[in-house]
């Protein structure tokens, strides 16, 4: 038995995102987003599920914030839906939208729960997609105006901010692999999107400083840990490409002002160029206050000629998988955090998402015994504690998720919550992991 202990002041949180929990898709003046469109497009989302109702948090937030307080959360990570604030992306500000998030944040502050706000967790106003979305550089200007509106409204109230959640998903998953909204399959387009997001990120950070908003601002890439199957150079190189694409493509420009050069050349070999304009890299590399890391999985891969984009293929090592099919690899989180320290030094890090899909429902006793999730969280937290011992500057941890919610292309079929949601009745049932996590948040340690 071991005791895993965290430093004093380590922040314990949980995360959600607007479209995944709010519902109320036509209320309060909200305009349509690309996910309203995508989820209604036949064949895109499991069972055609959409976020029209989701967890109805738009109405149930007082009850849900109370639940967070019962859990002992010190901080809550949520996102603001751009189409609630500027329904058509570029026109008039909708005061009702701002008012909703003020009610939510006031409720959090009432219980002493610190809000961490994500500006963009995938709900692009559909009207902007109709003009090319993130492929169109003008979207950057519209985003800046949205960001400025939110900053000015919440200045002094919200002190933890992030610009973009999972830029790899917004760009490559959504515009090259076509799995998420808007569902394009075009590598040049996806590369443009990735670049424009990064420019928007950097210019938002500059705006945040210039307007004296105060607090901390960062970006939240999703990462996973890729390991070569063997020590053969071709396996190492193939895995480097895959990892550089998923992780470094978004971290290196922000931290060091340039893309991973070998990958830029690799893309060039495929006829794809990054659309860099003068001043872009300087904009992108504005100093940030923290890096948010979303980590779920890691794996092993090797070289395979002409396979996919990178001459890389996954190797199934027979490791455990969660119910969504992602490998269980807690060691990868430690490895990645140490890699951050090696590459980027003492930058403060928040684990902005970590968690697992296990679809356990209520047992005969009416409770949800998700011991696999407890094990997942324990072992990943042990990796975080170990990274802290190794000098990685990790400040806090947000479990994904507070409650079961709309898991994008998987609809409601995949459950990541520490709270079970009955979508017919909107009843919430705290799972065993909820109780485990509330003890960790209270004591700052746990036993393995
Ligand atoms: C990769 C599928 C290839 C969310 C992916 C699919 C590859 C044909 C969870 N994080 O719901 C990554 N999530 O909203 C943010 N993160 O590839 C929050 N990444 O198909 C969570 C999905 C994801 C993914 C899902």
């Amino acid at each position: 038995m071991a005791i895993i202990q965290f430093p004093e002041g380590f922040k314990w949180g949980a995360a959600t995102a607007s479209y995944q929990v709010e519902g109320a898709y036509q209320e309060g003046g909200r305009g349509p987003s690309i996910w309203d469109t995508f989820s209604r497009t036949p064949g895109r989302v499991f069972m055609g599920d959409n976020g029209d109702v989701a967890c109805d948090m738009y109405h149930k937030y007082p009850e849900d914030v109370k639940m967070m307080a019962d859990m002992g959360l010190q901080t809550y990570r949520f996102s603001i839906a751009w189409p609630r604030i500027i329904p058509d992306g570029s026109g008039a500000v909708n005061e009702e939208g701002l008012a909703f998030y003020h009610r939510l944040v006031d409720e959090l502050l009432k219980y002493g729960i610190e809000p961490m706000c994500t500006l963009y967790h995938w709900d692009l106003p559909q009207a902007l997609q109709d003009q090319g979305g993130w492929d169109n550089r003008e979207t950057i200007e519209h985003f800046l105006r949205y960001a400025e509106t939110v900053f000015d409204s919440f200045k002094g109230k919200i002190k933890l901010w992030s610009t973009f959640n999972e830029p790899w998903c917004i760009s490559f998953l959504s515009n090259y692999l076509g799995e998420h909204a808007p569902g394009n399959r075009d590598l040049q387009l996806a590369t443009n999107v990735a670049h424009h997001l990064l420019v928007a990120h950097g210019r938002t950070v500059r705006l945040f400083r210039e307007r004296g908003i105060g607090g901390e601002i960062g970006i939240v890439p999703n990462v996973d840990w890729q390991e070569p199957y063997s020590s053969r150079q071709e396996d190492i190189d193939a895995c480097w490409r895959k990892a550089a694409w998923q992780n470094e493509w978004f971290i290196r420009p922000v931290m060091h002002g340039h893309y991973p050069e070998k990958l830029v050349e690799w893309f060039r070999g495929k006829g794809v160029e990054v659309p860099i304009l003068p001043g872009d890299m300087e904009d992108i590399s504005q100093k940030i206050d923290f890096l948010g890391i979303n980590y779920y999985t890691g794996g092993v891969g090797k070289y395979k000629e002409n396979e996919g984009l990178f001459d890389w293929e996954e190797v199934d090592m027979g490791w455990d998988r969660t119910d969504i099919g992602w490998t269980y690899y807690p060691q990868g989180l430690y490895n990645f955090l140490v890699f951050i320290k090696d590459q980027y030094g003492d930058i403060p890090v928040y684990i902005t998402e970590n968690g697992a899909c296990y679809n356990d429902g209520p047992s005969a006793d009416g409770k949800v015994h998700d011991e696999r999730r407890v094990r997942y969280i324990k072992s990943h937290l042990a990796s975080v504690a170990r990274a802290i011992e190794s000098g990685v500057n990790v400040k806090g941890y947000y479990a994904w998720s507070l409650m079961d919610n709309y898991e994008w292309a998987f609809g409601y079929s995949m459950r990541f919550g520490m709270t079970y949601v009955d979508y017919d009745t909107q009843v919430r049932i705290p799972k065993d992991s909820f109780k485990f996590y509330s003890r960790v948040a209270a004591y700052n340690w746990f036993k393995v």
Side-chain angles (χ1 to χ4, degrees):
M1 195 186 68
I3 288 186
I4 306 292
Q5 172 91 47
F6 288 81
E8 215 180 301
F10 190 83
K11 291 183 193 175
W12 296 102
T16 64
S18 46
Y19 190 70
Q20 295 180 273
V21 296
E22 284 177 2
Y25 80 117
Q26 284 181 316
E27 285 180 59
R30 179 185 179 278
S33 83
I34 54 174
W35 271 94
D36 295 302
T37 307
F38 189 76
S39 61
R40 283 173 168 69
T41 309
R44 296 301 206 157
V45 174
F46 181 77
M47 299 289 279
D49 287 347
N50 60 49
D52 290 4
V53 179
C55 306
D56 197 27
M57 200 174 174
Y58 185 82
H59 297 109
K60 294 179 87 72
Y61 73 90
E63 179 189 326
D64 289 333
V65 173
K66 165 91 173 44
M67 186 168 80
M68 296 176 211
D70 291 344
M71 198 186 233
L73 293 188
Q74 294 148 13
T75 175
Y76 169 59
R77 175 174 180 258
F78 71 103
S79 74
I80 291 185
W82 183 351
R84 286 199 190 280
I85 309 303
I86 303 178
D88 66 358
S90 59
V93 171
N94 172 39
E95 294 296 335
E96 239 187 305
L98 287 168
F100 164 65
Y101 294 106
H102 276 284
R103 291 196 297 277
L104 171 66
V105 171
D106 289 345
E107 198 70 14
L108 291 166
L109 295 175
K110 187 172 104 187
Y111 290 98
I113 300 169
E114 187 173 10
M116 176 188 270
C117 176
T118 308
L119 287 170
Y120 189 90
H121 199 127
W122 307 357
D123 15 30
L124 181 71
Q126 180 60 43
L128 294 184
Q129 186 61 48
D130 295 342
Q131 296 159 46
W134 287 109
D135 185 36
N136 182 349
R137 274 187 83 105
E138 281 173 27
T139 298
I140 300 171
E141 306 299 332
H142 300 312
F143 182 78
L144 285 164
R145 184 165 155 267
Y146 156 64
E148 182 173 309
T149 305
V150 173
F151 284 157
D152 288 351
S153 186
F154 289 91
K155 178 177 174 170
K157 226 181 202 185
I158 299 178
K159 301 200 176 79
L160 292 171
W161 296 90
S162 69
T163 53
F164 290 90
N165 179 73
E166 303 191 344
W168 181 86
C169 290
I170 303 166
S171 52
F172 295 113
L173 183 64
S174 305
N175 291 283
Y176 170 60
L177 297 172
E179 301 280 325
H180 282 180
N184 297 315
R185 295 177 189 271
D186 179 333
L187 186 59
Q188 179 62 66
L189 173 73
T191 304
N192 300 346
V193 167
H195 184 67
H196 296 154
L197 289 177
L198 286 170
V199 174
H201 156 77
R203 291 174 61 183
T204 303
V205 172
R206 182 181 288 141
L207 178 78
F208 181 82
R209 308 280 184 226
E210 283 172 358
R211 293 189 82 77
I213 302 304
E216 303 171 22
I217 191 164
I219 188 169
V220 177
N222 54 306
V223 305
D224 69 35
W225 182 255
Q226 297 285 341
E227 241 160 65
Y229 181 70
S230 80
S231 56
R232 290 156 63 125
Q233 195 59 43
E234 60 187 18
D235 288 348
I236 293 169
D237 291 346
C239 281
W240 181 87
R241 288 190 290 273
K242 177 72 163 34
W245 182 53
Q246 290 192 240
N247 310 327
E248 285 290 87
W249 194 259
F250 300 94
I251 302 177
R252 188 156 294 270
V254 169
M255 298 298 292
H256 287 169
H258 58 89
Y259 284 97
E261 283 305 330
K262 276 190 290 178
L263 198 59
V264 172
E265 279 166 38
W266 184 267
F267 274 19
R268 193 166 290 143
K270 311 240 166 219
V272 170
E273 286 287 343
V274 187
I276 302 173
L277 295 188
D280 280 358
M281 299 315 291
E282 200 187 319
D283 285 351
I284 292 173
S285 54
Q286 296 300 302
K287 184 185 166 298
I288 55 172
D289 299 304
F290 69 88
L291 204 50
I293 294 296
N294 291 358
Y295 177 88
Y296 290 92
T297 187
V300 172
K302 66 178 195 215
Y303 175 76
K304 187 179 179 192
E305 199 180 351
N306 293 327
E307 176 71 22
L309 198 47
F310 300 112
D311 294 1
W312 171 94
E313 72 171 353
E314 187 181 349
V315 179
D316 189 337
M317 301 296 291
W319 296 345
D320 283 355
R321 290 178 187 268
T322 63
D323 288 349
I324 202 170
W326 303 349
T327 52
Y328 168 80
Y329 193 37
Q331 173 82 47
L333 178 54
Y334 172 76
N335 294 344
F336 197 86
L337 290 171
V338 169
F339 169 82
I340 287 180
K341 183 174 170 65
D342 283 351
Q343 299 287 316
Y344 305 113
D346 293 331
I347 177 85
V349 172
Y350 289 98
I351 308 299
T352 33
E353 286 180 27
N354 173 245
C357 173
Y358 291 114
N359 294 321
D360 307 289
S363 307
D365 62 3
K367 296 182 176 162
V368 182
H369 301 297
D370 59 338
E371 67 269 11
R372 294 180 298 169
R373 180 172 291 100
V374 172
R375 173 173 176 258
Y376 182 101
I377 295 175
K378 274 188 174 181
S379 53
H380 285 75
L381 282 178
S383 274
V384 173
R386 193 179 162 211
I388 292 171
E389 285 296 307
S390 302
V392 187
N393 192 10
V394 189
K395 298 288 196 193
Y397 175 95
Y398 293 83
W400 185 273
S401 178
L402 175 68
M403 57 183 156
D404 296 337
N405 59 53
Y406 181 75
E407 183 49 40
W408 308 112
F410 295 95
Y412 296 100
S413 68
M414 295 294 161
R415 295 176 178 268
F416 280 81
M418 296 184 290
T419 310
Y420 182 86
V421 176
D422 179 330
Y423 294 110
D424 294 328
T425 61
Q426 291 297 343
V427 166
R428 281 85 158 116
I429 306 173
K431 303 181 189 179
D432 286 357
S433 57
F434 181 115
K435 287 156 212 153
F436 162 73
Y437 197 67
S438 60
R439 286 196 301 270
V440 179
Y443 301 146
N444 225 18
W445 57 265
F446 66 88
K447 286 181 203 169
V448 183

